[in-house]
mmCIF file of all heavy atoms in Angstrom:
data_model
loop_
_atom_site.group_PDB
_atom_site.id
_atom_site.type_symbol
_atom_site.label_atom_id
_atom_site.label_comp_id
_atom_site.label_asym_id
_atom_site.label_seq_id
_atom_site.Cartn_x
_atom_site.Cartn_y
_atom_site.Cartn_z
ATOM 1 N N TYR A 183 -13.455 -5.584 7.136
ATOM 2 C CA TYR A 183 -12.937 -5.352 8.481
ATOM 3 C C TYR A 183 -13.854 -5.985 9.529
ATOM 4 O O TYR A 183 -13.399 -6.615 10.489
ATOM 5 C CB TYR A 183 -12.817 -3.859 8.732
ATOM 6 C CG TYR A 183 -12.083 -3.496 10.005
ATOM 7 C CD1 TYR A 183 -10.701 -3.307 10.007
ATOM 8 C CD2 TYR A 183 -12.777 -3.342 11.212
ATOM 9 C CE1 TYR A 183 -10.026 -2.985 11.172
ATOM 10 C CE2 TYR A 183 -12.116 -3.016 12.377
ATOM 11 C CZ TYR A 183 -10.741 -2.835 12.355
ATOM 12 O OH TYR A 183 -10.081 -2.515 13.510
ATOM 13 N N ILE A 184 -15.168 -5.843 9.312
ATOM 14 C CA ILE A 184 -16.139 -6.315 10.299
ATOM 15 C C ILE A 184 -16.416 -7.812 10.148
ATOM 16 O O ILE A 184 -16.467 -8.555 11.142
ATOM 17 C CB ILE A 184 -17.464 -5.525 10.169
ATOM 18 C CG1 ILE A 184 -17.211 -4.057 10.525
ATOM 19 C CG2 ILE A 184 -18.549 -6.108 11.059
ATOM 20 C CD1 ILE A 184 -18.388 -3.151 10.217
ATOM 21 N N LEU A 185 -16.579 -8.251 8.905
ATOM 22 C CA LEU A 185 -17.039 -9.621 8.679
ATOM 23 C C LEU A 185 -15.937 -10.626 8.399
ATOM 24 O O LEU A 185 -16.142 -11.834 8.557
ATOM 25 C CB LEU A 185 -18.034 -9.642 7.503
ATOM 26 C CG LEU A 185 -19.294 -8.777 7.677
ATOM 27 C CD1 LEU A 185 -20.178 -8.897 6.443
ATOM 28 C CD2 LEU A 185 -20.066 -9.190 8.937
ATOM 29 N N VAL A 186 -14.792 -10.170 7.945
ATOM 30 C CA VAL A 186 -13.741 -11.123 7.572
ATOM 31 C C VAL A 186 -12.566 -11.051 8.536
ATOM 32 O O VAL A 186 -12.371 -11.940 9.370
ATOM 33 C CB VAL A 186 -13.267 -10.865 6.121
ATOM 34 C CG1 VAL A 186 -12.193 -11.881 5.721
ATOM 35 C CG2 VAL A 186 -14.450 -10.952 5.158
ATOM 36 N N SER A 187 -11.754 -9.988 8.408
ATOM 37 C CA SER A 187 -10.554 -9.931 9.241
ATOM 38 C C SER A 187 -10.001 -8.504 9.312
ATOM 39 O O SER A 187 -9.605 -7.959 8.276
ATOM 40 C CB SER A 187 -9.483 -10.866 8.681
ATOM 41 O OG SER A 187 -8.239 -10.641 9.297
ATOM 42 N N PRO A 188 -9.969 -7.883 10.475
ATOM 43 C CA PRO A 188 -9.344 -6.567 10.616
ATOM 44 C C PRO A 188 -7.873 -6.594 10.207
ATOM 45 O O PRO A 188 -7.370 -5.643 9.613
ATOM 46 C CB PRO A 188 -9.492 -6.263 12.113
ATOM 47 C CG PRO A 188 -10.655 -7.094 12.547
ATOM 48 C CD PRO A 188 -10.577 -8.346 11.727
ATOM 49 N N THR A 189 -7.207 -7.719 10.528
ATOM 50 C CA THR A 189 -5.782 -7.827 10.184
ATOM 51 C C THR A 189 -5.576 -7.761 8.679
ATOM 52 O O THR A 189 -4.648 -7.111 8.182
ATOM 53 C CB THR A 189 -5.205 -9.151 10.722
ATOM 54 O OG1 THR A 189 -5.393 -9.206 12.131
ATOM 55 C CG2 THR A 189 -3.724 -9.273 10.385
ATOM 56 N N LEU A 190 -6.438 -8.454 7.925
ATOM 57 C CA LEU A 190 -6.326 -8.477 6.475
ATOM 58 C C LEU A 190 -6.465 -7.075 5.896
ATOM 59 O O LEU A 190 -5.698 -6.687 5.004
ATOM 60 C CB LEU A 190 -7.399 -9.393 5.886
ATOM 61 C CG LEU A 190 -7.366 -9.590 4.361
ATOM 62 C CD1 LEU A 190 -6.063 -10.257 3.944
ATOM 63 C CD2 LEU A 190 -8.562 -10.430 3.916
ATOM 64 N N VAL A 191 -7.402 -6.307 6.427
ATOM 65 C CA VAL A 191 -7.601 -4.932 5.955
ATOM 66 C C VAL A 191 -6.391 -4.078 6.292
ATOM 67 O O VAL A 191 -5.918 -3.287 5.464
ATOM 68 C CB VAL A 191 -8.887 -4.327 6.556
ATOM 69 C CG1 VAL A 191 -8.994 -2.847 6.204
ATOM 70 C CG2 VAL A 191 -10.106 -5.071 6.062
ATOM 71 N N ASN A 192 -5.869 -4.220 7.510
ATOM 72 C CA ASN A 192 -4.700 -3.431 7.913
ATOM 73 C C ASN A 192 -3.485 -3.768 7.043
ATOM 74 O O ASN A 192 -2.718 -2.871 6.656
ATOM 75 C CB ASN A 192 -4.375 -3.685 9.385
ATOM 76 C CG ASN A 192 -5.412 -3.093 10.312
ATOM 77 O OD1 ASN A 192 -6.072 -2.093 9.960
ATOM 78 N ND2 ASN A 192 -5.599 -3.676 11.489
ATOM 79 N N VAL A 193 -3.305 -5.047 6.748
ATOM 80 C CA VAL A 193 -2.194 -5.453 5.882
ATOM 81 C C VAL A 193 -2.373 -4.856 4.483
ATOM 82 O O VAL A 193 -1.413 -4.377 3.865
ATOM 83 C CB VAL A 193 -2.095 -6.988 5.813
ATOM 84 C CG1 VAL A 193 -1.111 -7.411 4.719
ATOM 85 C CG2 VAL A 193 -1.670 -7.545 7.154
ATOM 86 N N PHE A 194 -3.595 -4.905 3.984
ATOM 87 C CA PHE A 194 -3.877 -4.347 2.658
ATOM 88 C C PHE A 194 -3.544 -2.855 2.604
ATOM 89 O O PHE A 194 -2.870 -2.386 1.675
ATOM 90 C CB PHE A 194 -5.351 -4.555 2.312
ATOM 91 C CG PHE A 194 -5.795 -3.842 1.068
ATOM 92 C CD1 PHE A 194 -5.487 -4.343 -0.193
ATOM 93 C CD2 PHE A 194 -6.504 -2.644 1.154
ATOM 94 C CE1 PHE A 194 -5.883 -3.676 -1.344
ATOM 95 C CE2 PHE A 194 -6.907 -1.964 0.012
ATOM 96 C CZ PHE A 194 -6.593 -2.482 -1.236
ATOM 97 N N LEU A 195 -3.992 -2.101 3.609
ATOM 98 C CA LEU A 195 -3.731 -0.665 3.645
ATOM 99 C C LEU A 195 -2.236 -0.365 3.750
ATOM 100 O O LEU A 195 -1.725 0.548 3.098
ATOM 101 C CB LEU A 195 -4.487 -0.020 4.801
ATOM 102 C CG LEU A 195 -6.021 0.001 4.671
ATOM 103 C CD1 LEU A 195 -6.659 0.531 5.945
ATOM 104 C CD2 LEU A 195 -6.441 0.851 3.477
ATOM 105 N N ALA A 196 -1.543 -1.141 4.589
ATOM 106 C CA ALA A 196 -0.094 -0.936 4.742
ATOM 107 C C ALA A 196 0.634 -1.256 3.443
ATOM 108 O O ALA A 196 1.575 -0.544 3.045
ATOM 109 C CB ALA A 196 0.436 -1.815 5.878
ATOM 110 N N THR A 197 0.192 -2.305 2.755
ATOM 111 C CA THR A 197 0.817 -2.692 1.488
ATOM 112 C C THR A 197 0.608 -1.612 0.432
ATOM 113 O O THR A 197 1.538 -1.249 -0.294
ATOM 114 C CB THR A 197 0.233 -4.026 0.990
ATOM 115 O OG1 THR A 197 0.455 -5.041 1.977
ATOM 116 C CG2 THR A 197 0.886 -4.437 -0.327
ATOM 117 N N VAL A 198 -0.622 -1.112 0.337
ATOM 118 C CA VAL A 198 -0.922 -0.066 -0.643
ATOM 119 C C VAL A 198 -0.110 1.188 -0.358
ATOM 120 O O VAL A 198 0.446 1.808 -1.279
ATOM 121 C CB VAL A 198 -2.434 0.254 -0.644
ATOM 122 C CG1 VAL A 198 -2.714 1.507 -1.469
ATOM 123 C CG2 VAL A 198 -3.228 -0.916 -1.192
ATOM 124 N N THR A 199 -0.015 1.570 0.915
ATOM 125 C CA THR A 199 0.746 2.767 1.281
ATOM 126 C C THR A 199 2.226 2.607 0.938
ATOM 127 O O THR A 199 2.850 3.506 0.359
ATOM 128 C CB THR A 199 0.595 3.056 2.789
ATOM 129 O OG1 THR A 199 -0.794 3.246 3.094
ATOM 130 C CG2 THR A 199 1.370 4.302 3.174
ATOM 131 N N THR A 200 2.785 1.456 1.282
ATOM 132 C CA THR A 200 4.200 1.204 1.007
ATOM 133 C C THR A 200 4.467 1.175 -0.502
ATOM 134 O O THR A 200 5.438 1.770 -0.986
ATOM 135 C CB THR A 200 4.632 -0.135 1.623
ATOM 136 O OG1 THR A 200 4.391 -0.110 3.024
ATOM 137 C CG2 THR A 200 6.106 -0.398 1.364
ATOM 138 N N ALA A 201 3.604 0.485 -1.231
ATOM 139 C CA ALA A 201 3.769 0.391 -2.686
ATOM 140 C C ALA A 201 3.673 1.772 -3.335
ATOM 141 O O ALA A 201 4.415 2.084 -4.278
ATOM 142 C CB ALA A 201 2.722 -0.541 -3.274
ATOM 143 N N SER A 202 2.775 2.614 -2.817
ATOM 144 C CA SER A 202 2.616 3.963 -3.362
ATOM 145 C C SER A 202 3.870 4.798 -3.142
ATOM 146 O O SER A 202 4.325 5.512 -4.043
ATOM 147 C CB SER A 202 1.402 4.653 -2.719
ATOM 148 O OG SER A 202 0.205 3.966 -3.010
ATOM 149 N N LEU A 203 4.439 4.700 -1.940
ATOM 150 C CA LEU A 203 5.659 5.457 -1.647
ATOM 151 C C LEU A 203 6.815 4.983 -2.521
ATOM 152 O O LEU A 203 7.594 5.795 -3.039
ATOM 153 C CB LEU A 203 6.007 5.316 -0.164
ATOM 154 C CG LEU A 203 5.060 6.011 0.820
ATOM 155 C CD1 LEU A 203 5.427 5.656 2.262
ATOM 156 C CD2 LEU A 203 5.106 7.528 0.625
ATOM 157 N N ILE A 204 6.932 3.663 -2.673
ATOM 158 C CA ILE A 204 7.997 3.113 -3.513
ATOM 159 C C ILE A 204 7.823 3.582 -4.954
ATOM 160 O O ILE A 204 8.786 3.972 -5.621
ATOM 161 C CB ILE A 204 8.006 1.574 -3.444
ATOM 162 C CG1 ILE A 204 8.432 1.113 -2.047
ATOM 163 C CG2 ILE A 204 8.944 0.986 -4.509
ATOM 164 C CD1 ILE A 204 8.317 -0.384 -1.833
ATOM 165 N N TYR A 205 6.592 3.553 -5.433
ATOM 166 C CA TYR A 205 6.320 3.977 -6.813
ATOM 167 C C TYR A 205 6.670 5.450 -7.013
ATOM 168 O O TYR A 205 7.279 5.816 -8.029
ATOM 169 C CB TYR A 205 4.848 3.755 -7.161
ATOM 170 C CG TYR A 205 4.475 4.311 -8.516
ATOM 171 C CD1 TYR A 205 4.755 3.613 -9.684
ATOM 172 C CD2 TYR A 205 3.874 5.572 -8.632
ATOM 173 C CE1 TYR A 205 4.445 4.128 -10.933
ATOM 174 C CE2 TYR A 205 3.555 6.101 -9.872
ATOM 175 C CZ TYR A 205 3.843 5.385 -11.016
ATOM 176 O OH TYR A 205 3.540 5.906 -12.245
ATOM 177 N N ILE A 206 6.296 6.289 -6.062
ATOM 178 C CA ILE A 206 6.569 7.718 -6.182
ATOM 179 C C ILE A 206 8.074 7.977 -6.248
ATOM 180 O O ILE A 206 8.557 8.727 -7.105
ATOM 181 C CB ILE A 206 5.937 8.494 -5.004
ATOM 182 C CG1 ILE A 206 4.400 8.460 -5.132
ATOM 183 C CG2 ILE A 206 6.430 9.938 -4.978
ATOM 184 C CD1 ILE A 206 3.689 9.015 -3.913
ATOM 185 N N VAL A 207 8.827 7.347 -5.336
ATOM 186 C CA VAL A 207 10.277 7.535 -5.320
ATOM 187 C C VAL A 207 10.900 7.018 -6.608
ATOM 188 O O VAL A 207 11.728 7.685 -7.242
ATOM 189 C CB VAL A 207 10.898 6.836 -4.092
ATOM 190 C CG1 VAL A 207 12.420 6.887 -4.179
ATOM 191 C CG2 VAL A 207 10.418 7.481 -2.804
ATOM 192 N N PHE A 208 10.497 5.808 -7.025
ATOM 193 C CA PHE A 208 11.035 5.227 -8.249
ATOM 194 C C PHE A 208 10.714 6.103 -9.455
ATOM 195 O O PHE A 208 11.566 6.327 -10.327
ATOM 196 C CB PHE A 208 10.458 3.826 -8.464
ATOM 197 C CG PHE A 208 10.857 3.208 -9.780
ATOM 198 C CD1 PHE A 208 12.097 2.628 -9.946
ATOM 199 C CD2 PHE A 208 9.983 3.235 -10.870
ATOM 200 C CE1 PHE A 208 12.473 2.069 -11.161
ATOM 201 C CE2 PHE A 208 10.350 2.691 -12.090
ATOM 202 C CZ PHE A 208 11.595 2.098 -12.235
ATOM 203 N N SER A 209 9.486 6.606 -9.508
ATOM 204 C CA SER A 209 9.063 7.439 -10.636
ATOM 205 C C SER A 209 9.895 8.709 -10.725
ATOM 206 O O SER A 209 10.313 9.121 -11.808
ATOM 207 C CB SER A 209 7.582 7.786 -10.487
ATOM 208 O OG SER A 209 7.140 8.599 -11.545
ATOM 209 N N LEU A 210 10.154 9.333 -9.577
ATOM 210 C CA LEU A 210 10.951 10.566 -9.562
ATOM 211 C C LEU A 210 12.387 10.296 -10.018
ATOM 212 O O LEU A 210 12.941 11.048 -10.829
ATOM 213 C CB LEU A 210 10.942 11.177 -8.161
ATOM 214 C CG LEU A 210 9.610 11.774 -7.689
ATOM 215 C CD1 LEU A 210 9.700 12.175 -6.222
ATOM 216 C CD2 LEU A 210 9.230 12.979 -8.545
ATOM 217 N N VAL A 211 12.978 9.230 -9.493
ATOM 218 C CA VAL A 211 14.362 8.907 -9.848
ATOM 219 C C VAL A 211 14.455 8.492 -11.319
ATOM 220 O O VAL A 211 15.318 8.964 -12.062
ATOM 221 C CB VAL A 211 14.901 7.780 -8.942
ATOM 222 C CG1 VAL A 211 16.282 7.325 -9.412
ATOM 223 C CG2 VAL A 211 14.964 8.258 -7.497
ATOM 224 N N TYR A 212 13.552 7.622 -11.745
ATOM 225 C CA TYR A 212 13.562 7.144 -13.130
ATOM 226 C C TYR A 212 13.356 8.312 -14.094
ATOM 227 O O TYR A 212 14.050 8.433 -15.115
ATOM 228 C CB TYR A 212 12.462 6.107 -13.319
ATOM 229 C CG TYR A 212 12.332 5.609 -14.740
ATOM 230 C CD1 TYR A 212 13.268 4.732 -15.284
ATOM 231 C CD2 TYR A 212 11.263 6.004 -15.550
ATOM 232 C CE1 TYR A 212 13.158 4.263 -16.587
ATOM 233 C CE2 TYR A 212 11.135 5.548 -16.857
ATOM 234 C CZ TYR A 212 12.082 4.682 -17.365
ATOM 235 O OH TYR A 212 11.965 4.231 -18.651
ATOM 236 N N GLY A 213 12.416 9.195 -13.760
ATOM 237 C CA GLY A 213 12.155 10.349 -14.615
ATOM 238 C C GLY A 213 13.375 11.244 -14.749
ATOM 239 O O GLY A 213 13.693 11.716 -15.848
#
């Protein structure tokens, strides 16, 4: 965040959060 790019970190966090939500929903439905 400090040395490279705040945007890159924010994108990474948003991607992880979105992927986690998708996985949880998919896992519940698939199960």
Side-chain angles (χ1 to χ4, degrees):
Y183 189 90
I184 295 171
L185 301 180
V186 181
S187 168
T189 302
L190 183 63
V191 173
N192 290 332
V193 170
F194 171 77
L195 292 174
T197 301
V198 170
T199 301
T200 302
S202 298
L203 291 173
I204 292 173
Y205 174 80
I206 291 171
V207 173
F208 174 80
S209 179
L210 290 173
V211 173
Y212 176 74

